Amino acid sequence: MNYIGIDISKHKHDVCVISDLGEVVNEGFSFTNNAKGFAQFLKMLVDYGGFANNRIGFEATGNYAINLKLFLEKNGFEFMEINPFLVKEYIKSETLRKTTTDKICARHIASYLLVKAYKPHRTGFYDNFALKQLTRFRQNLVKTRSKHLVQLTNVLDCIFPEFKPFFNGKLSVTALYILSHYPTPAAIANMKSPTHEKLRKVSHGHFSMAQFVELKSLAKNTVGVYQEHYGVQLEMLLDLYAHIDSSVDEVDAKIGAIIKELNPPTLSIRGVGETSTAVIVAECGDFSRFANSNKLLAFAGLEPGKFQSGTLSHEGKMVKRGSSHLRYALMNCANTVCLHNEVFAEYYRKKRNEGKKHNVARNHVAKKLVRIIFALETKGVMFDTALLR
């Protein structure tokens, strides 16, 4: 049996092949990230005995490895993706030297395959990869949208500092509508009565005439100073925000269509929406690769750190390793499931009654949620509140 470690990079991949006795068979092979290079790598695999005689492994490197993974799967080869942190720690355990090259990394990866349990990546991974790309792209869009809101607030602090506090510190749909149609304090101060009817419809009846009059008064007496360059920034930021907001809706629709078609058991939990379910399913991938729910907790970085030496023993804070995207989704869901499910709400209250703070109690809810998700996904059953009592 040959163990093949690949150090992935953008334009080329370095390969090291060792035997099951730990002897280096080939350490100088590399191939380019194109059709010619892939063909050379495939020929090498065939020369070394094909599928039955080779175990292939490389670090999880996102986009850089996707074409190689699809190529290997198409040609009937299994492969193992390894967490880069585990490879880094393994290298530290093997040597004190800090010298590293692509070839050295490839050799360490091959050695890692030899001494660790071989867990090949599941086949048909591309659909899950596409969902992961969409959910992470959505998260980037949301972050960018939030940055534009911060920039928008900075401009408002100069031209109309009373505006955002009037809306309780939030740029709501109504607030953004006003800014897009009446971008200056003078324009807001001169709004006519018919405008209130439009604002009332935008706010679904929540924007009263009293608020309308008060906002006009604030605009008329604002201490802010409007200048032309502020107007340019305001207009552009509103356009950028609207465009990104529309893009988020489009991505949500695509994610929703995919997750509805997959219909994973996690979706049956009230309080776990389509987007959160998509993040959880995409980040976890094949749930069967986790031996138990504790392994999934560790992957999400929700397990507490532990220290034990001699007579000393204590637990620390969450380790926060693994997938930060998964952890973020689970922590958000810990809030919503308590609102929609009495079992989770009771569990939260139980932890609070034990003297735990809100965030700690929420962490416990997230861990309970992980254990339930693991059971649902591995058993292929839908959520049933009655079974939790």
Side-chain angles (χ1 to χ4, degrees):
M1 179 67 69
N2 294 315
Y3 295 85
I4 302 176
I6 306 175
D7 183 74
I8 302 291
S9 58
K10 186 172 184 178
H11 300 297
K12 71 176 180 67
H13 309 310
D14 288 270
V15 179
C16 178
V17 184
I18 63 175
S19 68
D20 48 10
L21 297 178
E23 299 172 342
V24 175
V25 177
N26 189 335
E27 191 179 19
F29 183 81
S30 66
F31 63 98
T32 52
N33 191 19
N34 54 34
K36 181 180 178 181
F38 280 22
Q40 292 173 342
F41 181 55
L42 180 60
K43 183 179 183 302
M44 189 199 78
L45 293 176
V46 173
D47 291 342
Y48 283 131
F51 168 78
N53 200 44
N54 291 299
R55 289 185 171 178
I56 305 169
F58 44 82
E59 292 178 310
T61 53
N63 291 336
Y64 290 166
I66 182 63
N67 292 325
L68 177 61
K69 292 192 288 186
L70 289 171
F71 178 79
L72 290 171
E73 184 173 289
K74 179 182 177 181
N75 287 277
F77 286 90
E78 292 181 339
F79 56 88
M80 177 179 174
E81 275 195 298
I82 309 167
N83 189 313
F85 179 79
L86 295 179
V87 175
K88 181 180 178 180
E89 293 300 305
Y90 175 75
I91 293 175
K92 286 183 180 179
S93 70
E94 290 290 298
T95 178
L96 294 176
R97 299 183 65 186
K98 292 188 176 182
T99 302
T100 182
T101 64
D102 293 341
K103 291 182 179 180
I104 291 175
C105 286
R107 184 169 73 246
H108 282 299
I109 293 171
S111 177
Y112 182 93
L113 291 175
L114 176 63
V115 299
K116 300 293 183 179
Y118 186 66
K119 299 177 180 178
H121 203 287
R122 70 182 180 90
T123 57
F125 70 92
Y126 188 75
D127 289 339
N128 182 73
F129 179 80
L131 193 60
K132 180 186 287 188
Q133 290 292 92
L134 282 174
T135 53
R136 292 192 175 187
F137 178 61
R138 180 190 183 279
Q139 188 178 49
N140 289 334
L141 285 176
V142 171
K143 286 182 178 179
T144 304
R145 183 178 63 182
S146 298
K147 288 181 181 179
H148 289 325
L149 284 181
V150 172
Q151 293 172 318
L152 195 59
T153 299
N154 293 337
V155 175
L156 285 172
D157 286 343
C158 296
I159 64 175
F160 192 179
E162 302 89 352
F163 183 85
K164 193 172 179 181
F166 176 80
F167 289 95
N168 297 319
K170 297 180 181 179
L171 290 176
S172 62
V173 174
T174 306
L176 291 172
Y177 178 88
I178 293 173
L179 290 174
S180 61
H181 289 80
Y182 305 94
T184 68
I188 295 174
N190 292 322
M191 291 188 300
K192 305 302 180 183
S193 296
T195 301
H196 171 257
E197 185 60 27
K198 296 178 182 178
L199 295 177
R200 193 182 67 82
K201 291 180 179 179
V202 171
S203 65
H204 301 287
H206 295 293
F207 196 74
S208 67
M209 177 57 77
Q211 290 175 303
F212 180 71
V213 173
E214 183 182 353
L215 180 61
K216 289 182 52 163
S217 176
L218 287 173
K220 184 178 180 180
N221 300 292
T222 181
V223 297
V225 178
Y226 179 83
Q227 296 181 5
E228 186 178 353
H229 65 274
Y230 287 135
V232 173
Q233 293 179 62
L234 186 68
E235 181 181 357
M236 289 185 175
L237 287 170
L238 287 169
D239 287 342
L240 286 170
Y241 177 86
H243 177 70
I244 294 176
D245 193 52
S246 176
S247 298
V248 170
D249 290 340
E250 290 183 25
V251 175
D252 281 343
K254 294 183 183 297
I255 291 174
I258 295 174
I259 206 66
K260 285 178 182 177
E261 184 177 350
L262 293 175
N263 193 29
T266 301
L267 191 60
S268 64
I269 304 174
R270 289 190 62 191
V272 183
E274 292 177 358
T275 302
S276 295
T277 299
V279 174
I280 293 169
V281 170
E283 294 296 325
C284 292
D286 184 7
F287 283 86
S288 63
R289 68 193 177 103
F290 300 102
N292 51 55
S293 60
N294 288 333
K295 298 291 185 180
L296 183 55
L297 276 173
F299 178 70
L302 290 174
E303 66 173 355
K306 290 186 177 181
F307 175 82
Q308 191 277 323
S309 178
T311 59
L312 296 176
S313 178
H314 66 84
E315 289 190 354
K317 299 179 180 179
M318 286 194 306
V319 294
K320 292 188 177 181
R321 289 176 178 168
S323 172
S324 59
H325 303 279
L326 174 60
R327 184 168 58 256
Y328 182 78
L330 290 169
M331 294 302 292
N332 280 339
C333 289
N335 292 323
T336 54
V337 292
C338 289
L339 297 175
H340 293 87
N341 191 295
E342 183 60 26
V343 173
F344 286 106
E346 287 180 0
Y347 187 70
Y348 171 81
R349 287 195 293 269
K350 175 177 177 292
K351 292 300 177 182
R352 290 287 282 161
N353 291 335
E354 292 174 359
K356 301 187 185 300
K357 296 181 179 180
H358 165 72
N359 285 337
V360 177
R362 188 181 62 157
N363 293 347
H364 282 280
V365 173
K367 293 175 186 178
K368 183 180 182 69
L369 181 61
V370 168
R371 291 190 287 269
I372 291 173
I373 289 174
F374 179 79
L376 296 180
E377 294 291 344
T378 53
K379 296 177 181 178
V381 297
M382 295 300 174
F383 180 74
D384 185 354
T385 305
L387 298 178
L388 293 179
R389 296 186 180 277

